[in-house]
Amino acid sequence: MKFMKNKLSILLILTMGFAFTSLFGEGEPMTGKGLEEIIREFSDGEAVASNNVIEFRYSGLILYCIYDEDHNRMRIISRIKNYFEVTEEEKDRMMVSNFHSALDARYGVSNGELYSAYIHPLNSLKKADVVSGIYQVASLHLSFGVEYSSGLLSFGGEEESSDGPI
């Protein structure tokens, strides 16, 4: 139930954030310090920042925000499981999700580990983008094996193959 309450809260925050941005302009470029402030506000507890990495909890998950101001990039990630334990069916479902229901977050693999990830240029981020990214990464992680969804909406339907839906 906590996840559903968070879902409604996030949608309200996103709506207010988008309205605020459109009413009051673009604002200042996002920085690592700005990311840390936003993450501390929305995490489930303590957020630990070290160099360009912020470790925090959201919806009971451990997430990391990694940023590089010099190269104008950031990502929010959450480790799901060892990639070598992912079945072929799960891989197919993740690929379809990346097209239809993952939206701005994605499933990805690095160093043999499966992650949910939100990647964005740093300086154009707004508070609503960061909150949405946190929410989508957590939703992809929590829905792995079931809905494979970032939780906000689905952009299109599932495709059919000769072996069934993909």
Side-chain angles (χ1 to χ4, degrees):
M1 291 312 281
K2 181 180 177 185
F3 186 67
M4 291 305 291
K5 286 181 186 176
N6 283 345
K7 191 175 193 176
L8 293 174
S9 298
I10 295 301
L11 289 175
L12 178 61
I13 291 165
L14 290 173
T15 303
M16 292 185 325
F18 292 131
F20 182 83
T21 298
S22 63
L23 286 174
F24 298 103
E26 293 300 309
E28 296 295 316
M30 182 63 68
T31 63
K33 183 85 169 146
L35 279 173
E36 188 177 340
E37 289 173 11
I38 295 166
I39 288 169
R40 286 188 189 285
E41 182 179 344
F42 288 98
S43 70
D44 290 346
E46 185 177 359
V48 178
S50 177
N51 298 320
N52 64 331
V53 178
I54 306 164
E55 179 181 340
F56 63 103
R57 288 192 163 282
Y58 180 78
S59 288
L61 302 173
I62 296 172
L63 280 75
Y64 297 90
C65 177
I66 305 162
Y67 61 90
D68 184 331
E69 290 179 345
D70 292 336
H71 293 97
N72 188 33
R73 299 306 297 173
M74 66 77 61
R75 65 181 59 195
I76 299 169
I77 61 172
S78 179
R79 182 193 174 278
I80 298 173
K81 67 189 288 185
N82 183 298
Y83 185 69
F84 301 108
E85 297 171 3
V86 177
T87 67
E88 290 302 314
E89 180 183 352
E90 289 171 329
K91 290 174 185 177
D92 289 344
R93 294 286 308 271
M94 288 186 305
M95 292 303 293
V96 171
S97 171
N98 279 350
F99 194 81
H100 290 293
S101 59
L103 302 181
D104 300 323
R106 294 284 182 266
Y107 290 108
V109 178
S110 179
N111 296 319
E113 300 294 331
L114 174 64
Y115 291 90
S116 54
Y118 173 82
I119 302 167
H120 199 284
L122 177 63
N123 66 15
S124 63
L125 272 172
K126 304 298 172 230
K127 182 176 185 177
D129 298 326
V130 176
V131 173
S132 177
I134 293 169
Y135 175 76
Q136 289 186 56
V137 165
S139 294
L140 275 183
H141 182 140
L142 292 170
S143 70
F144 177 81
V146 184
E147 295 173 340
Y148 299 86
S149 171
S150 67
L152 297 176
L153 60 92
S154 181
F155 192 73
E158 288 195 358
E159 298 175 12
E160 293 286 331
S161 77
S162 59
D163 296 332
I166 315 187

